[in-house]
Amino acid sequence: MTTPPRVLTIAGSDSGGGAGIQADLRTLFACGVHGCTAVTAVTVQNSLGVTDFVEIPPSVVAAQIISVVEDIGVQAAKTGMLASAQIIEAIAPALDEVGIGGSGIPFVVDPVAASMHGNQLLADSALDALRGLLFPRATLVTPNLDEVRLITGITVRDRDDQRKAAEALHALGPQWVLVKGGHMWDDPECLDLLFDGRDFIELPGPRYETKHTHGSGDTLASSISSALARGADVPEAVRFGKDFIVKSVEASYPLGGGVGPVSPMWRLDR
């Protein structure tokens, strides 16, 4: 049997199974990719929200990265919840040691910095570490509009603002920027904007009337990472991810008493 491509996700655990590493792994499975993990935090979480979490020691997070890549090897890596500046500071040299990011293994940074309600999840020190240490190593960054505001100070209200935000994010050092438009509620479409410092690529999609969008950012970043692991270039991988998340939102389902998850299980029927 042929070994499938491997993707490493560096992220927190969601005990409710709708987001975080759980969403990453089920997305990677649905995309035919073997998922490896470096757990950064364990959350106490359900469909109603997060009530507590504990960080994994930064040295242990870094050691997970090195252990996986040195033995198993990966063709792409992504981040999710990184929890603290100390964890970011620990993983940056580990990424360099195993050749993730820069001109090496493709590296997708999903800067999980805001809750679904727009509340700040990372301390200012962690936001500084994200900007200074991970963005310059990133092949692609994939912020939503609340994360754009926290990272750049730009509040995106329309498509012109979205372009300004993409330019500001690209100036922080990533090779590509994907500014997601799902939170631009007055726009009838969900327009995501991809930018490489020169050209803008618009990726429109439908806007579904559902509240069940938990894990959408994780699912998008993981599906993009799966395509990168298979050798796709960034625009091709992002188009694959856009199609994947559109179908996953359409297939979302209620869970518990709060917000249900998007579902990559639509792909298992094919």
Side-chain angles (χ1 to χ4, degrees):
M1 181 175 291
T2 302
T3 302
R6 282 83 68 203
V7 171
L8 171 65
T9 172
I10 308 162
S13 173
D14 173 1
S15 54
I21 275 180
Q22 286 81 351
D24 292 336
L25 289 177
R26 67 181 190 163
T27 298
L28 295 171
F29 171 77
C31 293
V33 170
H34 178 87
C36 304
T37 64
V39 182
T40 61
V42 175
T43 67
V44 179
Q45 184 173 175
N46 57 25
S47 71
L48 300 173
V50 180
T51 56
D52 200 2
F53 75 94
V54 60
E55 293 180 23
I56 304 300
S59 62
V60 175
V61 180
Q64 291 176 81
I65 295 169
I66 294 168
S67 178
V68 165
V69 180
E70 286 187 343
D71 172 48
I72 296 170
V74 299
Q75 286 68 55
K78 69 167 291 288
T79 67
M81 176 188 180
L82 295 176
S84 69
Q86 290 76 18
I87 287 177
I88 297 170
E89 290 163 358
I91 69 171
L95 296 170
D96 292 344
E97 182 175 337
V98 296
I100 291 173
S103 61
I105 297 166
F107 181 43
V108 177
V109 174
D110 181 15
V112 179
S115 72
M116 69 180 68
H117 304 295
N119 298 319
Q120 185 169 336
L121 296 177
L122 286 180
D124 288 342
S125 60
L127 287 171
D128 287 341
L130 195 66
R131 294 184 199 98
L133 293 176
L134 293 194
F135 274 41
R137 290 172 165 84
T139 307
L140 172 71
V141 297
T142 63
N144 64 33
L145 299 188
D146 291 310
E147 290 155 353
V148 167
R149 173 177 49 80
L150 291 172
I151 293 165
T152 68
I154 296 173
T155 299
V156 176
R157 297 184 178 86
D158 55 34
R159 296 188 181 187
D160 286 339
D161 291 339
Q162 197 175 18
R163 290 194 169 217
K164 293 174 186 174
E167 291 170 340
L169 288 161
H170 190 268
L172 296 173
Q175 296 173 29
W176 292 80
V177 172
L178 181 68
V179 180
K180 298 179 292 190
H183 293 180
M184 201 153 50
W185 305 114
D186 292 334
D187 196 312
E189 292 183 306
C190 282
L191 180 81
D192 297 338
L193 187 66
L194 183 64
F195 182 58
D196 68 348
R198 296 183 307 276
D199 300 317
F200 293 98
I201 300 173
E202 294 187 348
L203 300 158
R207 185 177 295 279
Y208 294 109
E209 291 297 325
T210 178
K211 72 173 184 177
H212 302 306
T213 57
H214 190 44
S216 55
D218 310 283
T219 300
L220 175 61
S222 292
S223 56
I224 292 171
S225 299
S226 77
L228 291 171
R230 292 185 177 279
D233 62 21
V234 171
E236 182 183 4
V238 172
R239 287 189 179 96
F240 173 84
K242 178 70 175 185
D243 179 70
F244 193 94
I245 190 58
V246 166
K247 291 182 172 67
S248 296
V249 172
E250 186 179 23
S252 66
Y253 52 84
L255 191 70
V259 178
V262 302
S263 176
M265 291 188 282
W266 64 267
R267 205 160 194 253
L268 304 182
D269 295 331
R270 296 194 169 188

